[in-house]
Amino acid sequence: MGTYEEKLSILSEMIAFARVDHSMKRSEYEFLLKVASNLGVDKETFDGLLKHRSPKINLKTQAERIVQFHRLLLLMNVDREQHKSEVDTLYNIGLKMGLPPVAIGQVLEVMHRYPDNVIPPNVLIDIFKAHYN
């Protein structure tokens, strides 16, 4: 998975998304810290990203963009609250990533069928696959 700079960019995007509703809840911080750890980014560096954003680096592959969209979807639902601004922002991020608008909309609709709105990765992938065939 990409360079260290790409990982910092991913985390910066997620931090910005967590703050769309003008706050970061403890559950969001803990989720982001786990993502950072999974990406090989230490807590000190992660905490630094809370103050200073890393430069944006566009993800190269469609698979990387879908994985990042899924991370953002999980982040949106980790606090078990959804604000219209979060849903709208996630939709727009997906568009900027080059993901199909119909697939994004379908994911945002289908997620409500699952406990805590956590759409399984295979379901998410199948939705995107259907729009690339």
Side-chain angles (χ1 to χ4, degrees):
M1 149 85 244
T3 66
Y4 192 69
E5 288 75 23
E6 287 172 324
K7 293 172 184 182
L8 296 178
S9 175
I10 286 168
L11 290 168
S12 283
E13 179 179 47
M14 294 181 77
I15 290 166
F17 181 66
R19 291 178 169 160
V20 164
D21 60 357
H22 305 292
S23 68
M24 183 183 297
K25 295 183 179 73
R26 184 83 184 147
S27 59
E28 293 170 324
Y29 175 83
E30 289 171 0
F31 177 81
L32 288 167
L33 193 55
K34 286 179 188 173
V35 171
S37 177
N38 287 339
L39 292 174
V41 175
D42 62 64
K43 184 180 184 315
E44 183 178 337
T45 303
F46 171 74
D47 286 339
L49 292 173
L50 295 171
K51 296 177 182 107
H52 304 286
R53 199 170 179 166
S54 180
K56 172 80 173 133
I57 298 174
N58 292 323
L59 298 172
K60 293 176 187 76
T61 70
Q62 195 68 7
E64 289 172 327
R65 292 189 291 267
I66 291 170
V67 167
Q68 178 66 354
F69 183 80
H70 193 227
R71 283 187 198 109
L72 293 167
L73 183 68
L74 294 170
L75 176 60
M76 179 175 71
N77 291 309
V78 76
D79 63 359
R80 297 190 174 143
E81 293 179 21
Q82 285 180 5
H83 300 277
K84 183 171 177 6
S85 61
E86 290 175 315
V87 175
D88 291 346
T89 300
L90 182 56
Y91 184 86
N92 288 325
I93 289 170
L95 290 178
K96 288 178 186 171
M97 288 180 183
L99 300 176
V102 176
I104 297 167
Q106 189 176 351
V107 167
L108 293 172
E109 181 183 319
V110 168
M111 72 179 180
H112 297 290
R113 297 181 191 161
Y114 296 93
D116 298 325
N117 296 328
V118 177
I119 187 168
N122 63 315
V123 173
L124 180 110
I125 290 167
D126 287 345
I127 289 170
F128 282 103
K129 271 186 189 176
H131 293 280
Y132 286 109
N133 292 333

